[in-house]
Structures are given as structure tokens and as C-alpha cells.
Amino acid sequence: EEENNVISQKLNDIKTYVDEALVNFIIGKKPMSEWDSYVQQVKNMGIDEIIEIYQNAYERWLAR
């Protein structure tokens, strides 16, 4: 339940940011020189924690 709370709190914001940023990169509104700051922002928003939660859930599933 705790993992689900973390995911629900962070994932929607990350998805929205990623979708908007990628469109802006594709249409040229954001220069590719900002790519590294985009990646850092996604990390700052907690993507690594979400990946860890999914990895742990997968490993629990494999162990059953």
C-alpha cells in the first residue's frame, strides 16, 4: 500500500512533465541542449524511486 501511495503521488506528475517536454523537444520549442536538464528534472521528481518500487515488485513476483 505504501508503494502504491508513492507511485500515485509522483507518477502522474512525471508522466505529464515527460509528455509535455517530449512534445516540445519534437516540435523544436525546446532545444536539445536542454536534454540533460530535462533528465535531471525527471530524476528530481522521483523517477528512480518509482523504478525501484517496480523492480522490487517484479522481484517479489518472480520469487513466488
Side-chain angles (χ1 to χ4, degrees):
E1 186 176 326
E2 181 182 335
E3 291 173 337
N4 285 334
N5 289 337
V6 171
I7 289 172
S8 67
Q9 289 172 353
K10 295 182 179 188
L11 195 56
N12 284 336
D13 291 339
I14 291 172
K15 282 183 178 182
T16 300
Y17 177 75
V18 166
D19 289 345
E20 290 175 4
L22 289 179
V23 167
N24 287 329
F25 281 118
I26 291 169
I27 64 173
K29 194 172 182 181
K30 268 188 168 216
M32 290 306 295
S33 61
E34 293 183 22
W35 182 260
D36 290 337
S37 63
Y38 156 74
V39 171
Q40 188 59 49
Q41 178 61 28
V42 173
K43 288 179 179 265
N44 292 344
M45 294 175 82
I47 194 65
D48 290 332
E49 184 179 7
I50 292 171
I51 292 170
E52 183 179 343
I53 289 170
Y54 279 123
Q55 183 64 41
N56 290 338
Y58 176 66
E59 289 171 3
R60 285 192 306 266
W61 182 79
L62 287 177
R64 56 184 186 115

